[in-house]
Amino acid sequence: MNEEKFARQRHEMVAEQIEARHLRDPRLLDAMRRIPRHAFIPPTYHDLAYQDRPVLIGENQTISQPYIVALMTNLLQLQGEERVLEIGTGSGYQAAILAAMARQVYTIERHELLAERAAEILEKLGIKNVAIRQGDGSRGWPEEAPFDAIMVTAAAPRVPKPLSDQLAEGGRMVIPVGPAGMQQLEVWTRQSGQLKQDVIVPVSFVPLRGEFGFEDDWTTGIL
Ligand code: SAM
């Protein structure tokens, strides 16, 4: 019964929040209609799962607003065969969307509890092409580099050098860059060895911590 209600809400979410904002990639829309976002959210907040907003997932962290998940995924221009690195697993929802659109996803989360929970949810849903590691994602995952696409789901002071070093030729990285509450979403593309930057929209994310992230924790106006 609840599953039917959630499925209906999911279809409305895609129509009203994603398609209506001009994101039309059929593979992305299909993934967002299929993957049960509520399964990644603590039961107390299930009613908020398909709303146009971020939701708390514990450890003072959030699952991003559905539109931001869609926008960032769309910017990676995935075709289906890529190896993707995500920094900031959080709930595991973004990783599940990426896993539906690429060959293999590697994702790193600094909070052990969140990493464990995300792994359990992905396993329950039968999603097998996601490898999760607990640790400092600002250093990337050198053993598995290079990556065709990199997505950072926390705000960085600048693009962490290990991440740009781990981006394959022709690869794309999407990352929010800037201080608390004032970041811009950037896409970095590696072409003929050179990195090219495009600035997309202003955003507001929780901070990327760790060696190449912010030293202090701020959690304001979060996505
Ligand atoms: N992608 C997530 C999802 O789908 O639920 C949402 C990510 S949340 C906005 C940002 C996440 O980045 C938080 O879970 C936070 O703990 C994590 N994070 C922050 N700094 C990190 C770091 N250096 N390495 C790995 N994860 C980090």
Side-chain angles (χ1 to χ4, degrees):
M1 192 59 187
N2 259 355
E3 291 305 316
E4 267 174 43
K5 182 187 81 183
F6 287 136
R8 201 171 52 247
Q9 290 179 354
R10 204 152 54 239
H11 278 71
E12 284 168 10
M13 170 191 86
V14 170
E16 292 163 14
Q17 300 171 37
I18 315 297
E19 281 184 292
R21 290 175 178 140
H22 312 292
L23 293 178
R24 304 253 159 84
D25 174 357
R27 294 172 64 240
L28 173 62
L29 300 181
D30 177 59
M32 294 192 77
R33 282 191 201 103
R34 262 187 316 110
I35 292 165
R37 184 172 156 93
H38 64 276
F40 294 86
I41 290 177
T44 359
Y45 298 128
H46 270 183
D47 284 354
L48 306 178
Y50 297 101
Q51 292 190 10
D52 194 14
R53 50 168 289 174
V55 180
L56 286 168
I57 54 169
E59 306 290 329
N60 221 8
Q61 302 300 326
T62 55
I63 177 174
S64 301
Q65 177 192 4
Y67 173 66
I68 292 292
V69 172
L71 176 67
M72 290 175 77
T73 308
N74 196 54
L75 289 167
L76 290 181
Q77 298 181 1
L78 299 172
Q79 304 298 313
E81 284 307 312
E82 296 83 357
R83 298 170 72 253
V84 184
L85 175 67
E86 181 198 22
I87 309 304
T89 316
S91 67
Y93 176 69
Q94 174 72 75
I97 299 288
L98 293 170
M101 304 197 53
R103 180 154 56 90
Q104 176 69 41
V105 177
Y106 299 86
T107 180
I108 308 176
E109 170 55 51
R110 99 181 239 280
H111 284 289
E112 193 166 356
L113 183 69
L114 294 180
E116 280 172 12
R117 234 193 257 152
E120 275 168 30
I121 297 166
L122 292 166
E123 194 184 339
K124 241 188 232 162
L125 293 174
I127 296 171
K128 298 194 191 310
N129 56 337
V130 178
I132 302 189
R133 161 159 143 176
Q134 188 269 324
D136 178 8
S138 75
R139 298 190 202 137
W141 195 322
E143 303 87 334
E144 295 294 345
F147 299 97
D148 306 305
I150 298 179
M151 181 186 290
V152 183
T153 65
R158 64 197 72 79
V159 174
K161 178 144 191 323
L163 298 186
S164 44
D165 287 348
Q166 291 171 33
L167 189 64
E169 176 59 33
R172 296 168 73 76
M173 171 170 15
V174 55
I175 177 168
V177 179
M182 295 181 52
Q183 306 114 33
Q184 53 186 22
L185 192 60
E186 299 181 354
V187 176
W188 289 82
T189 316
R190 183 181 289 287
Q191 284 166 351
S192 314
Q194 302 290 310
L195 284 166
K196 178 180 149 276
Q197 179 208 37
D198 285 302
V199 175
I200 311 298
V201 284
V203 285
S204 182
F205 274 80
V206 295
L208 179 76
R209 309 286 307 282
E211 190 180 345
F212 297 88
F214 286 98
E215 270 178 25
D216 54 333
D217 196 0
W218 34 264
T219 32
T220 55
I222 37 187
L223 287 173

